[in-house]
Amino acid sequence: MHNFNVFTGEPRKFDPTFKGPIYNRGCTDILCCILFILALLAWSQGDPRKVIYPTDSKGQFCGQVGSPLEKKPLLFYFNIMKCASPLVLLEFQCPTTQICVERCPDKFMTLLKALQNEDDREYYKQFCKEGVDMTKVSSGQERKLEARAVAMRIFEDYTQSWHWILLGLVIAMLVSLIFILLLRCLAGVMVWVMIIMVIIVIGYGIFHCYMQYASLKGQAGSDVTIKDLGLQTDFSVYLQIQQTWLAFMIILCIVEVVIILLLIFLRKRLLIAIALIKEASKAIGHVMSSLFYPLLTFALLSLVIAYWAITAVFLSTSSDIFYRAMLDKISNITTECPDAECLFAFYGGETLYHKYLILFQFYNVFLFFWCANFVTALGQVTLAGAFASYYWAFKKPDDIPAYPVFNSLGRALRYHTGSLAFGSLILAIVQVIRVILEYLDQKLKGAQNKCAKFLLSCLKCCFWCLEKCIKFLNRNAYIMVAIYGKNFCTSAKDAFFLLMRNIVRVAVLDKVTDFLLFLGKLLVVGIVGICSFFFFTGKIKIVEDAAPSLNYYWVPILTVVFGAYLIAHGFFSVYAMCVDTLFLCFLEDLERNDGTADRPYFMPERLLSILKKSNEGVKTVD
C-alpha cells in the first residue's frame, strides 16, 4: 500500500485512536450552507387566487365566489396532451382551450354517436365553448374526442384497480427485501454462475460462427470480401459471405481469451468483491432501519417537487392578464385568418420584474435540481455514516453504536449541510447546462447547420460524461465526509486518490455489484410483472372472481411494473451505498492498520484469509 501523501511524498499520518466515524467534529463549508439557505427564500409576489382557482382560456377564475362562474369550479381541457410541453413548466400556460365546468364528463361516446342522439348532444354541450354548433364539428375533432375517451377509460381502470396495484407494490417490497437477505448466502454462487454463463454463451457464439463459416464453404459468392462488397443497405447480404463469420469468430475468441485471462489474474480481487458483497448483506441485517430510509428520501423529494411547483405557479401568476388573437395552434393573428378568436394567452407585465420573469423561472428549475441533489446527498451521507459505524466496530454487533442511522442523520444535518450543498451545487450546475443543451437541440431540429448540430451533440455527450463522473466523485466524497467530518473538497480529494491507488479493485467491485443489482431488479420486476399479468387477465383460477373488470388490463400491469422497479431501485440503492462504504472503509483499513495489537485490522475474517493477513493476538468477529 502507498501510505504517503501524493503531493509531498511524505508518509501519511494516521490517528492511532481512530475507531470509526468521528463524533467530535466541526461544521464544514459554512459559506455554501448560508448560500443554500438564502436560495430557499420564498417569493413575495403573486396572486393567490390564481393558485386556488383554476383559470380558463379567457383568464376567468373557475368557482370564485361572487363571479358568473361560481357554480363551475372545475377546469376542462380540450386536449390535455398539449400540456406535455417543456415550455409549460416555465410559463405554466397550456396551449389548448380550457373552459370552466360544473362537473367532469361521466360517460364515454364518440362524436358520431353524439350527433346521432339528441340527448347525448345536449349533454355534451356543457363541455363546448359558447355558441358552438356540434353538427358542424369536423372529423378531426371527433378523433380528439376519441383520444379523450381513451384517457377517461384509463382513469376508470385506475379507480377499479388501485387497491390491487398497492398490493402488488407491497409484494415488490417483500421480494426486494428477501433478495437482499439471500445475497448473504448466495452472492458467491450467483457471481460464479454469472461468470460461467458468460463464458459458455461466448463459447457457443464461437461454435456457431465456425459452423456458419464451414457451411458457406464452396458456395457461389461466399468468398467475396467485405471490402469488395462495399456498403450495402441490406445487412443480411453480409451474412452470406465467409469473411463476416470469420471476423465474428475472431472477435469472440479474443473476448473469450481476455475474460479468461482476467479471471486468472484478478481472481483474488474477485474474491474480495464477493466477500464485501456478503458483508454488505450482513451489515444491512444489523442495521435494518437503513432499508426504510428511502421512505424519508421519497418524502423529502416530494416536498422539493411541491416547493418547485408552488414557486413556479406563483411566478407565472405574478403578472397581469394578456389576450391574443389565436387559432387552434398558438400563433399571431393575420388578416388572412378571420375565424380566429381573442383568447387568454399569458400573464405578463412591463416592469423590470416582469421583463426578467423567465430568468426567475430558470432559476427555479436550477433550485429544483440543487434541492433534489441535496436530498440525495443527505441520504448518501446518512447511510454511509451508519454502515461505517458497522465496519469500524471491532466486535460486531456488540460495538455497533445504538441507532446508527439516526445518529448519522443528526451529524449530517448539524455539521455538514454546507458540504452537502456544495457537492449538490456542482452537480446542479452541470444538470442545468444539460437542460439548456437539450432545449437548444430542440430549437435546432429544423435547422440545416450540420456543424452546429455536431458541436451540440459533442457538448451533450461531454456533459453527460461529466455528470456521471461528478456523481461518482460526490458519492465517495460523502462517504469520507461521513467518516472523518472534513470539508467537501478535502474529502473528495482523499476519496479520489484512495480509489486511484486501488483502481483495479474499484473496477472489479463496481462491475460485480452492478450485475448483482441489475439481476435483483430484473428478478423483482419479473416476478411482480408476471404475477400481475396472470391476475389482471384472469388466468389465475383461484382468484379469477376477484380480478377487476377493466377496459385495458395493461394499465395496472404497467403501473405495477414501473412501481416495482422504483421500489427495487430504492432498496438496492441502500445496498449499493453499503457496498461502496464498506469498500472505502476496507481500503482505509488496509492503509491505516497492520494487524499488530496496537493497530489491528477491522475487516472480517474471510477478508483477512483472502489477503493472507491476520491480527496478532486478537480475532475479529466475522
Side-chain angles (χ1 to χ4, degrees):
M1 288 298 159
H2 305 286
N3 297 332
F4 55 84
N5 188 298
V6 293
F7 296 109
T8 64
E10 299 176 354
R12 295 179 63 197
K13 297 179 180 179
F14 297 109
D15 181 7
T17 63
F18 176 81
K19 292 184 179 180
I22 296 173
Y23 290 90
N24 296 324
R25 56 179 72 191
C27 296
T28 56
D29 299 303
I30 299 175
L31 178 60
C32 202
C33 177
I34 296 173
L35 291 176
F36 183 67
I37 295 173
L38 291 176
L40 294 176
L41 292 178
W43 300 96
S44 59
Q45 298 205 38
D47 186 350
R49 295 182 306 162
K50 299 168 187 175
V51 181
I52 300 172
Y53 303 107
T55 309
D56 66 6
S57 295
K58 296 181 179 180
Q60 303 176 99
F61 299 117
C62 301
Q64 185 179 8
V65 178
S67 69
L69 301 176
E70 180 179 356
K71 295 183 179 180
K72 296 183 177 182
L74 304 176
L75 188 65
F76 182 75
Y77 289 84
F78 275 34
N79 185 4
I80 200 168
M81 297 303 296
K82 288 188 176 182
C83 301
S85 169
L87 292 179
V88 174
L89 299 177
L90 294 174
E91 300 177 1
F92 262 75
Q93 305 302 331
C94 187
T96 185
T97 303
Q98 305 151 47
I99 62 172
C100 300
V101 296
E102 186 175 349
R103 55 194 174 93
C104 294
D106 56 7
K107 55 183 178 180
F108 310 111
M109 67 179 69
T110 64
L111 180 61
L112 183 60
K113 181 180 177 182
L115 295 178
Q116 293 173 347
N117 190 309
E118 186 175 351
D119 293 337
D120 291 336
R121 188 161 60 248
E122 288 298 322
Y123 170 79
Y124 250 94
K125 273 188 176 180
Q126 61 181 311
F127 305 110
C128 295
K129 292 186 292 185
E130 294 181 5
V132 171
D133 186 354
M134 292 189 66
T135 60
K136 298 181 179 180
V137 180
S138 66
S139 60
Q141 288 171 303
E142 179 183 353
R143 281 194 299 271
K144 293 180 180 180
L145 289 175
E146 287 284 2
R148 191 175 301 120
V150 171
M152 292 298 295
R153 293 190 187 102
I154 292 175
F155 178 76
E156 186 182 50
D157 287 343
Y158 277 121
T159 61
Q160 295 291 329
S161 60
W162 66 269
H163 49 289
W164 294 110
I165 292 174
L166 289 179
L167 179 60
L169 298 180
V170 171
I171 294 174
M173 187 180 301
L174 294 176
V175 175
S176 301
L177 181 60
I178 292 172
F179 183 85
I180 287 178
L181 296 178
L182 286 177
L183 279 178
R184 185 189 302 187
C185 306
L186 302 179
V189 175
M190 293 170 66
V191 172
W192 288 115
V193 168
M194 177 267 294
I195 292 172
I196 294 172
M197 289 299 296
V198 169
I199 293 175
I200 292 175
V201 169
I202 296 177
Y204 173 77
I206 295 172
F207 171 76
H208 180 76
C209 291
Y210 174 77
M211 295 302 295
Q212 291 292 328
Y213 175 81
S215 65
L216 290 173
K217 190 174 183 179
Q219 292 187 12
S222 62
D223 56 347
V224 176
T225 64
I226 297 177
K227 182 178 180 180
D228 294 336
L229 191 61
L231 181 63
Q232 301 290 328
T233 56
D234 185 5
F235 289 99
S236 62
V237 175
Y238 294 103
L239 302 180
Q240 307 302 319
I241 61 177
Q242 284 185 298
Q243 195 178 68
T244 301
W245 294 104
L246 179 62
F248 286 159
M249 185 170 61
I250 292 174
I251 292 172
L252 289 177
C253 286
I254 293 173
V255 172
E256 185 87 323
V257 171
V258 169
I259 290 177
I260 293 174
L261 290 176
L262 286 175
L263 289 174
I264 293 173
F265 291 105
L266 300 179
R267 62 188 184 279
K268 186 175 179 180
R269 290 176 172 83
L270 189 60
L271 292 174
I272 293 174
I274 294 173
L276 283 170
I277 290 171
K278 289 182 178 180
E279 192 66 16
S281 296
K282 192 174 180 181
I284 291 176
H286 289 297
V287 192
M288 287 294 291
S289 58
S290 62
L291 290 175
F292 300 98
Y293 188 86
L295 296 177
L296 177 60
T297 300
F298 175 78
L300 293 176
L301 284 176
S302 300
L303 290 177
V304 169
I305 294 172
Y307 177 86
W308 164 79
I310 293 172
T311 304
V313 169
F314 266 82
L315 281 173
S316 62
T317 59
S318 59
S319 311
D320 300 322
I321 299 175
F322 276 75
Y323 295 88
R324 179 182 292 171
M326 297 181 180
L327 295 171
D328 183 41
K329 293 184 178 180
I330 299 292
S331 61
N332 290 327
I333 187 63
T334 67
T335 55
E336 299 177 359
C337 304
D339 295 332
E341 54 187 325
C342 186
L343 296 176
F344 163 73
F346 58 88
Y347 292 100
E350 302 297 332
T351 66
L352 188 65
Y353 169 80
H354 295 116
K355 185 178 180 181
Y356 294 101
L357 190 60
I358 188 66
L359 296 181
F360 294 145
Q361 286 285 23
F362 272 114
Y363 173 75
N364 190 37
V365 173
F366 162 74
L367 190 60
F368 167 75
F369 282 122
W370 195 2
C371 292
N373 291 329
F374 179 86
V375 170
T376 303
L378 178 63
Q380 291 175 344
V381 168
T382 300
L383 293 174
F387 294 130
S389 299
Y390 166 84
Y391 184 93
W392 296 107
F394 192 75
K395 295 181 179 180
K396 303 176 180 65
D398 298 338
D399 291 347
I400 300 176
Y403 311 110
V405 174
F406 182 78
N407 290 334
S408 181
L409 176 61
R411 290 195 300 269
L413 291 175
R414 181 178 178 183
Y415 298 111
H416 305 303
T417 302
S419 296
L420 303 183
F422 191 11
S424 304
L425 173 64
I426 298 172
L427 185 57
I429 292 173
V430 175
Q431 290 172 332
V432 168
I433 293 175
R434 288 194 63 199
V435 169
I436 295 173
L437 291 176
E438 289 292 341
Y439 175 78
L440 294 176
D441 188 37
Q442 294 293 324
K443 290 292 185 181
L444 291 174
K445 273 191 174 180
Q448 303 298 322
N449 193 333
K450 294 184 178 180
C451 181
K453 289 183 178 180
F454 174 75
L455 180 61
L456 193 60
S457 299
C458 292
L459 287 173
K460 288 168 61 178
C461 179
C462 291
F463 277 96
W464 179 85
C465 295
L466 180 60
E467 181 181 353
K468 295 297 180 183
C469 292
I470 291 176
K471 284 183 176 180
F472 177 78
L473 260 180
N474 282 7
R475 185 183 182 89
N476 291 282
Y478 295 145
I479 295 175
M480 301 299 277
V481 167
I483 298 174
Y484 296 107
K486 298 179 181 179
N487 61 55
F488 177 81
C489 292
T490 302
S491 299
K493 180 198 69 175
D494 292 342
F496 176 77
F497 288 115
L498 179 63
L499 295 174
M500 288 300 102
R501 292 194 294 271
N502 300 271
I503 187 64
V504 179
R505 284 174 176 166
V506 172
V508 173
L509 181 73
D510 186 57
K511 295 307 173 187
V512 171
T513 306
D514 285 347
F515 167 76
L516 285 180
L517 298 185
F518 170 76
L519 192 64
K521 293 177 185 178
L522 195 64
L523 179 66
V524 173
V525 173
I527 290 176
V528 176
I530 291 172
C531 292
S532 62
F533 171 79
F534 282 107
F535 174 76
F536 288 112
T537 54
K539 297 184 183 296
I540 304 178
K541 299 298 180 182
I542 302 176
V543 292
E544 184 178 3
D545 296 335
S549 178
L550 303 171
N551 297 298
Y552 309 109
Y553 65 84
W554 50 265
V555 171
I557 293 175
L558 291 181
T559 304
V560 169
V561 167
F562 181 71
Y565 175 81
L566 293 180
I567 290 173
H569 179 74
F571 274 96
F572 296 144
S573 65
V574 174
Y575 190 87
M577 196 67 204
C578 182
V579 173
D580 290 345
T581 302
L582 296 184
F583 182 56
L584 277 184
C585 292
F586 163 74
L587 297 179
E588 279 286 293
D589 194 8
L590 283 177
E591 296 190 358
R592 172 181 293 278
N593 302 311
D594 55 11
T596 60
D598 294 332
R599 293 163 56 190
Y601 292 114
F602 285 77
M603 67 186 72
E605 284 293 329
R606 68 168 66 94
L607 280 173
L608 286 173
S609 61
I610 293 173
L611 296 171
K612 295 182 172 55
K613 295 181 181 292
S614 61
N615 286 325
E616 298 177 4
V618 292
K619 183 178 181 180
T620 56
V621 179
D622 201 347

